Amino acid sequence: MITGSQCRAARALVEISRSMLAKRAGVDLISIERFENITGSLVKREMQDVKRALEELGAVFIPENGAGHGVRLKFSNVAAERIAQLECEGGIVANDRVP
């Protein structure tokens, strides 16, 4: 799952307002405000809907890995192609391209 801080950061990265996120995710605006301000929480379905909406806009959530959790943007097609050229060492490749 994601944290309120990750939600707030992802919203800033994809440049979407709370009200637009609420509409896209089908979640009450007040619930998102409380979640981001750490004064409330979302039920599992709401959190999944918020996460999905932000991911569709290009956010990638980084789970806790001992150094903390985070969020970043997916790579653009140009950047993803350049990285693919540089990697050239095989292995599993994830879809990091923004739609």
PDB file of all heavy atoms in Angstrom, residues 1-34:
ATOM      1  N   MET A   1       0.824  -1.184   0.000  1.00  0.00           N
ATOM      2  CA  MET A   1       0.000   0.000   0.000  1.00  0.00           C
ATOM      3  C   MET A   1       0.873   1.254   0.000  1.00  0.00           C
ATOM      4  O   MET A   1       2.078   1.168   0.110  1.00  0.00           O
ATOM      5  CB  MET A   1      -0.920  -0.001   1.214  1.00  0.00           C
ATOM      6  CG  MET A   1      -2.006  -1.069   1.164  1.00  0.00           C
ATOM      7  SD  MET A   1      -3.097  -0.858  -0.245  1.00  0.00           S
ATOM      8  CE  MET A   1      -3.018  -2.477  -0.958  1.00  0.00           C
ATOM      9  N   ILE A   2       0.244   2.397  -0.070  1.00  0.00           N
ATOM     10  CA  ILE A   2       0.984   3.659  -0.101  1.00  0.00           C
ATOM     11  C   ILE A   2       0.693   4.467   1.161  1.00  0.00           C
ATOM     12  O   ILE A   2      -0.291   4.223   1.848  1.00  0.00           O
ATOM     13  CB  ILE A   2       0.636   4.488  -1.360  1.00  0.00           C
ATOM     14  CG1 ILE A   2      -0.839   4.909  -1.361  1.00  0.00           C
ATOM     15  CG2 ILE A   2       0.997   3.720  -2.607  1.00  0.00           C
ATOM     16  CD1 ILE A   2      -1.207   5.875  -2.466  1.00  0.00           C
ATOM     17  N   THR A   3       1.552   5.434   1.408  1.00  0.00           N
ATOM     18  CA  THR A   3       1.361   6.312   2.558  1.00  0.00           C
ATOM     19  C   THR A   3       0.775   7.645   2.085  1.00  0.00           C
ATOM     20  O   THR A   3       0.791   7.954   0.891  1.00  0.00           O
ATOM     21  CB  THR A   3       2.698   6.589   3.267  1.00  0.00           C
ATOM     22  OG1 THR A   3       3.532   7.344   2.377  1.00  0.00           O
ATOM     23  CG2 THR A   3       3.399   5.297   3.680  1.00  0.00           C
ATOM     24  N   GLY A   4       0.303   8.434   3.031  1.00  0.00           N
ATOM     25  CA  GLY A   4      -0.208   9.756   2.710  1.00  0.00           C
ATOM     26  C   GLY A   4       0.871  10.640   2.103  1.00  0.00           C
ATOM     27  O   GLY A   4       0.620  11.417   1.180  1.00  0.00           O
ATOM     28  N   SER A   5       2.099  10.510   2.603  1.00  0.00           N
ATOM     29  CA  SER A   5       3.216  11.292   2.061  1.00  0.00           C
ATOM     30  C   SER A   5       3.513  10.910   0.620  1.00  0.00           C
ATOM     31  O   SER A   5       3.781  11.768  -0.221  1.00  0.00           O
ATOM     32  CB  SER A   5       4.475  11.085   2.910  1.00  0.00           C
ATOM     33  OG  SER A   5       4.255  11.551   4.218  1.00  0.00           O
ATOM     34  N   GLN A   6       3.462   9.607   0.312  1.00  0.00           N
ATOM     35  CA  GLN A   6       3.677   9.158  -1.063  1.00  0.00           C
ATOM     36  C   GLN A   6       2.569   9.681  -1.976  1.00  0.00           C
ATOM     37  O   GLN A   6       2.835  10.093  -3.098  1.00  0.00           O
ATOM     38  CB  GLN A   6       3.707   7.632  -1.149  1.00  0.00           C
ATOM     39  CG  GLN A   6       5.000   7.003  -0.713  1.00  0.00           C
ATOM     40  CD  GLN A   6       4.930   5.503  -0.818  1.00  0.00           C
ATOM     41  OE1 GLN A   6       4.112   4.871  -0.170  1.00  0.00           O
ATOM     42  NE2 GLN A   6       5.783   4.933  -1.643  1.00  0.00           N
ATOM     43  N   CYS A   7       1.355   9.673  -1.485  1.00  0.00           N
ATOM     44  CA  CYS A   7       0.223  10.169  -2.264  1.00  0.00           C
ATOM     45  C   CYS A   7       0.422  11.648  -2.591  1.00  0.00           C
ATOM     46  O   CYS A   7       0.269  12.068  -3.743  1.00  0.00           O
ATOM     47  CB  CYS A   7      -1.068   9.954  -1.488  1.00  0.00           C
ATOM     48  SG  CYS A   7      -2.565  10.475  -2.363  1.00  0.00           S
ATOM     49  N   ARG A   8       0.783  12.422  -1.595  1.00  0.00           N
ATOM     50  CA  ARG A   8       1.003  13.854  -1.774  1.00  0.00           C
ATOM     51  C   ARG A   8       2.150  14.109  -2.759  1.00  0.00           C
ATOM     52  O   ARG A   8       2.047  14.947  -3.657  1.00  0.00           O
ATOM     53  CB  ARG A   8       1.295  14.493  -0.407  1.00  0.00           C
ATOM     54  CG  ARG A   8       1.296  15.988  -0.377  1.00  0.00           C
ATOM     55  CD  ARG A   8       1.380  16.548   1.044  1.00  0.00           C
ATOM     56  NE  ARG A   8       2.495  16.035   1.819  1.00  0.00           N
ATOM     57  CZ  ARG A   8       2.379  15.189   2.860  1.00  0.00           C
ATOM     58  NH1 ARG A   8       1.196  14.789   3.272  1.00  0.00           N
ATOM     59  NH2 ARG A   8       3.448  14.767   3.506  1.00  0.00           N
ATOM     60  N   ALA A   9       3.236  13.350  -2.628  1.00  0.00           N
ATOM     61  CA  ALA A   9       4.395  13.508  -3.513  1.00  0.00           C
ATOM     62  C   ALA A   9       4.042  13.088  -4.940  1.00  0.00           C
ATOM     63  O   ALA A   9       4.420  13.770  -5.908  1.00  0.00           O
ATOM     64  CB  ALA A   9       5.572  12.686  -2.995  1.00  0.00           C
ATOM     65  N   ALA A  10       3.326  11.988  -5.088  1.00  0.00           N
ATOM     66  CA  ALA A  10       2.938  11.510  -6.424  1.00  0.00           C
ATOM     67  C   ALA A  10       2.028  12.520  -7.107  1.00  0.00           C
ATOM     68  O   ALA A  10       2.176  12.797  -8.296  1.00  0.00           O
ATOM     69  CB  ALA A  10       2.242  10.159  -6.316  1.00  0.00           C
ATOM     70  N   ARG A  11       1.118  13.099  -6.349  1.00  0.00           N
ATOM     71  CA  ARG A  11       0.225  14.116  -6.907  1.00  0.00           C
ATOM     72  C   ARG A  11       1.013  15.304  -7.425  1.00  0.00           C
ATOM     73  O   ARG A  11       0.732  15.833  -8.497  1.00  0.00           O
ATOM     74  CB  ARG A  11      -0.774  14.572  -5.829  1.00  0.00           C
ATOM     75  CG  ARG A  11      -2.183  14.479  -6.216  1.00  0.00           C
ATOM     76  CD  ARG A  11      -3.162  14.953  -5.175  1.00  0.00           C
ATOM     77  NE  ARG A  11      -2.684  15.601  -3.992  1.00  0.00           N
ATOM     78  CZ  ARG A  11      -2.381  16.885  -3.879  1.00  0.00           C
ATOM     79  NH1 ARG A  11      -2.503  17.687  -4.905  1.00  0.00           N
ATOM     80  NH2 ARG A  11      -1.960  17.381  -2.734  1.00  0.00           N
ATOM     81  N   ALA A  12       2.031  15.701  -6.672  1.00  0.00           N
ATOM     82  CA  ALA A  12       2.881  16.821  -7.100  1.00  0.00           C
ATOM     83  C   ALA A  12       3.663  16.454  -8.359  1.00  0.00           C
ATOM     84  O   ALA A  12       3.764  17.267  -9.286  1.00  0.00           O
ATOM     85  CB  ALA A  12       3.835  17.213  -5.979  1.00  0.00           C
ATOM     86  N   LEU A  13       4.185  15.242  -8.422  1.00  0.00           N
ATOM     87  CA  LEU A  13       4.970  14.813  -9.582  1.00  0.00           C
ATOM     88  C   LEU A  13       4.140  14.759 -10.865  1.00  0.00           C
ATOM     89  O   LEU A  13       4.615  15.121 -11.930  1.00  0.00           O
ATOM     90  CB  LEU A  13       5.605  13.447  -9.323  1.00  0.00           C
ATOM     91  CG  LEU A  13       6.788  13.430  -8.364  1.00  0.00           C
ATOM     92  CD1 LEU A  13       7.166  12.002  -8.021  1.00  0.00           C
ATOM     93  CD2 LEU A  13       7.966  14.166  -8.951  1.00  0.00           C
ATOM     94  N   VAL A  14       2.905  14.278 -10.752  1.00  0.00           N
ATOM     95  CA  VAL A  14       2.062  14.159 -11.955  1.00  0.00           C
ATOM     96  C   VAL A  14       1.213  15.409 -12.173  1.00  0.00           C
ATOM     97  O   VAL A  14       0.423  15.472 -13.115  1.00  0.00           O
ATOM     98  CB  VAL A  14       1.186  12.884 -11.935  1.00  0.00           C
ATOM     99  CG1 VAL A  14       2.055  11.646 -11.870  1.00  0.00           C
ATOM    100  CG2 VAL A  14       0.167  12.913 -10.809  1.00  0.00           C
ATOM    101  N   GLU A  15       1.379  16.374 -11.272  1.00  0.00           N
ATOM    102  CA  GLU A  15       0.714  17.672 -11.387  1.00  0.00           C
ATOM    103  C   GLU A  15      -0.804  17.561 -11.498  1.00  0.00           C
ATOM    104  O   GLU A  15      -1.424  18.009 -12.461  1.00  0.00           O
ATOM    105  CB  GLU A  15       1.290  18.454 -12.572  1.00  0.00           C
ATOM    106  CG  GLU A  15       2.779  18.715 -12.430  1.00  0.00           C
ATOM    107  CD  GLU A  15       3.376  19.455 -13.610  1.00  0.00           C
ATOM    108  OE1 GLU A  15       2.650  19.883 -14.521  1.00  0.00           O
ATOM    109  OE2 GLU A  15       4.612  19.595 -13.618  1.00  0.00           O
ATOM    110  N   ILE A  16      -1.401  16.986 -10.456  1.00  0.00           N
ATOM    111  CA  ILE A  16      -2.849  16.860 -10.391  1.00  0.00           C
ATOM    112  C   ILE A  16      -3.316  17.357  -9.022  1.00  0.00           C
ATOM    113  O   ILE A  16      -2.636  17.151  -8.014  1.00  0.00           O
ATOM    114  CB  ILE A  16      -3.302  15.395 -10.648  1.00  0.00           C
ATOM    115  CG1 ILE A  16      -4.819  15.299 -10.783  1.00  0.00           C
ATOM    116  CG2 ILE A  16      -2.791  14.473  -9.574  1.00  0.00           C
ATOM    117  CD1 ILE A  16      -5.316  13.939 -11.222  1.00  0.00           C
ATOM    118  N   SER A  17      -4.438  18.029  -8.998  1.00  0.00           N
ATOM    119  CA  SER A  17      -4.976  18.544  -7.735  1.00  0.00           C
ATOM    120  C   SER A  17      -5.670  17.425  -6.965  1.00  0.00           C
ATOM    121  O   SER A  17      -5.987  16.373  -7.517  1.00  0.00           O
ATOM    122  CB  SER A  17      -5.990  19.662  -8.009  1.00  0.00           C
ATOM    123  OG  SER A  17      -7.132  19.126  -8.662  1.00  0.00           O
ATOM    124  N   ARG A  18      -5.905  17.674  -5.692  1.00  0.00           N
ATOM    125  CA  ARG A  18      -6.635  16.697  -4.888  1.00  0.00           C
ATOM    126  C   ARG A  18      -8.026  16.455  -5.454  1.00  0.00           C
ATOM    127  O   ARG A  18      -8.485  15.316  -5.503  1.00  0.00           O
ATOM    128  CB  ARG A  18      -6.762  17.179  -3.447  1.00  0.00           C
ATOM    129  CG  ARG A  18      -5.523  17.020  -2.635  1.00  0.00           C
ATOM    130  CD  ARG A  18      -5.763  17.477  -1.209  1.00  0.00           C
ATOM    131  NE  ARG A  18      -4.547  17.365  -0.423  1.00  0.00           N
ATOM    132  CZ  ARG A  18      -4.312  18.085   0.650  1.00  0.00           C
ATOM    133  NH1 ARG A  18      -5.185  18.976   1.075  1.00  0.00           N
ATOM    134  NH2 ARG A  18      -3.187  17.922   1.316  1.00  0.00           N
ATOM    135  N   SER A  19      -8.689  17.528  -5.870  1.00  0.00           N
ATOM    136  CA  SER A  19     -10.057  17.363  -6.379  1.00  0.00           C
ATOM    137  C   SER A  19     -10.076  16.535  -7.669  1.00  0.00           C
ATOM    138  O   SER A  19     -10.958  15.704  -7.855  1.00  0.00           O
ATOM    139  CB  SER A  19     -10.734  18.719  -6.587  1.00  0.00           C
ATOM    140  OG  SER A  19     -10.018  19.500  -7.512  1.00  0.00           O
ATOM    141  N   MET A  20      -9.082  16.744  -8.546  1.00  0.00           N
ATOM    142  CA  MET A  20      -9.025  15.944  -9.774  1.00  0.00           C
ATOM    143  C   MET A  20      -8.698  14.487  -9.457  1.00  0.00           C
ATOM    144  O   MET A  20      -9.247  13.577 -10.066  1.00  0.00           O
ATOM    145  CB  MET A  20      -7.990  16.525 -10.747  1.00  0.00           C
ATOM    146  CG  MET A  20      -8.413  17.843 -11.353  1.00  0.00           C
ATOM    147  SD  MET A  20      -9.981  17.754 -12.257  1.00  0.00           S
ATOM    148  CE  MET A  20      -9.531  16.655 -13.581  1.00  0.00           C
ATOM    149  N   LEU A  21      -7.814  14.254  -8.488  1.00  0.00           N
ATOM    150  CA  LEU A  21      -7.497  12.889  -8.078  1.00  0.00           C
ATOM    151  C   LEU A  21      -8.732  12.216  -7.497  1.00  0.00           C
ATOM    152  O   LEU A  21      -9.017  11.050  -7.795  1.00  0.00           O
ATOM    153  CB  LEU A  21      -6.352  12.882  -7.062  1.00  0.00           C
ATOM    154  CG  LEU A  21      -5.993  11.510  -6.485  1.00  0.00           C
ATOM    155  CD1 LEU A  21      -5.585  10.530  -7.583  1.00  0.00           C
ATOM    156  CD2 LEU A  21      -4.899  11.649  -5.441  1.00  0.00           C
ATOM    157  N   ALA A  22      -9.470  12.947  -6.676  1.00  0.00           N
ATOM    158  CA  ALA A  22     -10.686  12.390  -6.084  1.00  0.00           C
ATOM    159  C   ALA A  22     -11.660  11.943  -7.172  1.00  0.00           C
ATOM    160  O   ALA A  22     -12.245  10.850  -7.089  1.00  0.00           O
ATOM    161  CB  ALA A  22     -11.344  13.419  -5.167  1.00  0.00           C
ATOM    162  N   LYS A  23     -11.821  12.752  -8.207  1.00  0.00           N
ATOM    163  CA  LYS A  23     -12.710  12.394  -9.313  1.00  0.00           C
ATOM    164  C   LYS A  23     -12.203  11.181 -10.074  1.00  0.00           C
ATOM    165  O   LYS A  23     -12.956  10.267 -10.377  1.00  0.00           O
ATOM    166  CB  LYS A  23     -12.882  13.575 -10.271  1.00  0.00           C
ATOM    167  CG  LYS A  23     -13.704  14.704  -9.709  1.00  0.00           C
ATOM    168  CD  LYS A  23     -13.778  15.864 -10.676  1.00  0.00           C
ATOM    169  CE  LYS A  23     -14.458  17.060 -10.011  1.00  0.00           C
ATOM    170  NZ  LYS A  23     -14.410  18.257 -10.857  1.00  0.00           N
ATOM    171  N   ARG A  24     -10.909  11.189 -10.399  1.00  0.00           N
ATOM    172  CA  ARG A  24     -10.327  10.072 -11.169  1.00  0.00           C
ATOM    173  C   ARG A  24     -10.397   8.759 -10.402  1.00  0.00           C
ATOM    174  O   ARG A  24     -10.611   7.708 -10.989  1.00  0.00           O
ATOM    175  CB  ARG A  24      -8.878  10.357 -11.522  1.00  0.00           C
ATOM    176  CG  ARG A  24      -8.690  11.318 -12.662  1.00  0.00           C
ATOM    177  CD  ARG A  24      -7.232  11.407 -13.059  1.00  0.00           C
ATOM    178  NE  ARG A  24      -6.786  10.211 -13.736  1.00  0.00           N
ATOM    179  CZ  ARG A  24      -6.560  10.118 -15.041  1.00  0.00           C
ATOM    180  NH1 ARG A  24      -6.746  11.166 -15.809  1.00  0.00           N
ATOM    181  NH2 ARG A  24      -6.139   8.995 -15.576  1.00  0.00           N
ATOM    182  N   ALA A  25     -10.179   8.828  -9.092  1.00  0.00           N
ATOM    183  CA  ALA A  25     -10.138   7.615  -8.276  1.00  0.00           C
ATOM    184  C   ALA A  25     -11.506   7.218  -7.741  1.00  0.00           C
ATOM    185  O   ALA A  25     -11.679   6.105  -7.256  1.00  0.00           O
ATOM    186  CB  ALA A  25      -9.166   7.803  -7.117  1.00  0.00           C
ATOM    187  N   GLY A  26     -12.463   8.151  -7.799  1.00  0.00           N
ATOM    188  CA  GLY A  26     -13.788   7.858  -7.239  1.00  0.00           C
ATOM    189  C   GLY A  26     -13.776   7.801  -5.721  1.00  0.00           C
ATOM    190  O   GLY A  26     -14.494   7.023  -5.110  1.00  0.00           O
ATOM    191  N   VAL A  27     -12.925   8.631  -5.117  1.00  0.00           N
ATOM    192  CA  VAL A  27     -12.771   8.670  -3.663  1.00  0.00           C
ATOM    193  C   VAL A  27     -13.128  10.075  -3.188  1.00  0.00           C
ATOM    194  O   VAL A  27     -12.837  11.060  -3.862  1.00  0.00           O
ATOM    195  CB  VAL A  27     -11.313   8.308  -3.265  1.00  0.00           C
ATOM    196  CG1 VAL A  27     -11.089   8.451  -1.773  1.00  0.00           C
ATOM    197  CG2 VAL A  27     -10.986   6.903  -3.724  1.00  0.00           C
ATOM    198  N   ASP A  28     -13.737  10.167  -2.026  1.00  0.00           N
ATOM    199  CA  ASP A  28     -14.152  11.443  -1.458  1.00  0.00           C
ATOM    200  C   ASP A  28     -12.949  12.368  -1.243  1.00  0.00           C
ATOM    201  O   ASP A  28     -11.908  11.937  -0.723  1.00  0.00           O
ATOM    202  CB  ASP A  28     -14.870  11.192  -0.129  1.00  0.00           C
ATOM    203  CG  ASP A  28     -15.394  12.460   0.496  1.00  0.00           C
ATOM    204  OD1 ASP A  28     -16.184  13.166  -0.163  1.00  0.00           O
ATOM    205  OD2 ASP A  28     -15.004  12.740   1.647  1.00  0.00           O
ATOM    206  N   LEU A  29     -13.073  13.622  -1.632  1.00  0.00           N
ATOM    207  CA  LEU A  29     -12.003  14.612  -1.512  1.00  0.00           C
ATOM    208  C   LEU A  29     -11.532  14.759  -0.066  1.00  0.00           C
ATOM    209  O   LEU A  29     -10.325  14.803   0.206  1.00  0.00           O
ATOM    210  CB  LEU A  29     -12.461  15.966  -2.055  1.00  0.00           C
ATOM    211  CG  LEU A  29     -11.505  17.146  -1.878  1.00  0.00           C
ATOM    212  CD1 LEU A  29     -10.188  16.893  -2.585  1.00  0.00           C
ATOM    213  CD2 LEU A  29     -12.150  18.420  -2.380  1.00  0.00           C
ATOM    214  N   ILE A  30     -12.453  14.820   0.857  1.00  0.00           N
ATOM    215  CA  ILE A  30     -12.101  14.973   2.283  1.00  0.00           C
ATOM    216  C   ILE A  30     -11.263  13.792   2.753  1.00  0.00           C
ATOM    217  O   ILE A  30     -10.308  13.959   3.524  1.00  0.00           O
ATOM    218  CB  ILE A  30     -13.369  15.119   3.156  1.00  0.00           C
ATOM    219  CG1 ILE A  30     -14.181  16.341   2.733  1.00  0.00           C
ATOM    220  CG2 ILE A  30     -13.013  15.178   4.633  1.00  0.00           C
ATOM    221  CD1 ILE A  30     -13.471  17.652   2.870  1.00  0.00           C
ATOM    222  N   SER A  31     -11.576  12.589   2.272  1.00  0.00           N
ATOM    223  CA  SER A  31     -10.805  11.401   2.650  1.00  0.00           C
ATOM    224  C   SER A  31      -9.367  11.511   2.165  1.00  0.00           C
ATOM    225  O   SER A  31      -8.423  11.176   2.891  1.00  0.00           O
ATOM    226  CB  SER A  31     -11.442  10.135   2.069  1.00  0.00           C
ATOM    227  OG  SER A  31     -12.719   9.935   2.603  1.00  0.00           O
ATOM    228  N   ILE A  32      -9.179  12.006   0.943  1.00  0.00           N
ATOM    229  CA  ILE A  32      -7.826  12.177   0.401  1.00  0.00           C
ATOM    230  C   ILE A  32      -7.072  13.243   1.188  1.00  0.00           C
ATOM    231  O   ILE A  32      -5.901  13.064   1.527  1.00  0.00           O
ATOM    232  CB  ILE A  32      -7.870  12.508  -1.103  1.00  0.00           C
ATOM    233  CG1 ILE A  32      -8.366  11.288  -1.887  1.00  0.00           C
ATOM    234  CG2 ILE A  32      -6.499  12.950  -1.607  1.00  0.00           C
ATOM    235  CD1 ILE A  32      -8.571  11.519  -3.363  1.00  0.00           C
ATOM    236  N   GLU A  33      -7.734  14.350   1.505  1.00  0.00           N
ATOM    237  CA  GLU A  33      -7.091  15.405   2.291  1.00  0.00           C
ATOM    238  C   GLU A  33      -6.621  14.875   3.643  1.00  0.00           C
ATOM    239  O   GLU A  33      -5.486  15.128   4.056  1.00  0.00           O
ATOM    240  CB  GLU A  33      -8.050  16.575   2.506  1.00  0.00           C
ATOM    241  CG  GLU A  33      -8.299  17.393   1.268  1.00  0.00           C
ATOM    242  CD  GLU A  33      -9.341  18.483   1.469  1.00  0.00           C
ATOM    243  OE1 GLU A  33      -9.942  18.580   2.568  1.00  0.00           O
ATOM    244  OE2 GLU A  33      -9.556  19.247   0.519  1.00  0.00           O
ATOM    245  N   ARG A  34      -7.475  14.137   4.329  1.00  0.00           N
ATOM    246  CA  ARG A  34      -7.115  13.592   5.640  1.00  0.00           C
ATOM    247  C   ARG A  34      -5.989  12.574   5.516  1.00  0.00           C
ATOM    248  O   ARG A  34      -5.081  12.544   6.347  1.00  0.00           O
ATOM    249  CB  ARG A  34      -8.331  12.959   6.298  1.00  0.00           C
ATOM    250  CG  ARG A  34      -9.342  13.976   6.763  1.00  0.00           C
ATOM    251  CD  ARG A  34     -10.520  13.322   7.424  1.00  0.00           C
ATOM    252  NE  ARG A  34     -11.486  14.320   7.835  1.00  0.00           N
ATOM    253  CZ  ARG A  34     -12.779  14.101   7.945  1.00  0.00           C
ATOM    254  NH1 ARG A  34     -13.283  12.905   7.679  1.00  0.00           N
ATOM    255  NH2 ARG A  34     -13.587  15.061   8.317  1.00  0.00           N
TER     256      ARG A  34
END
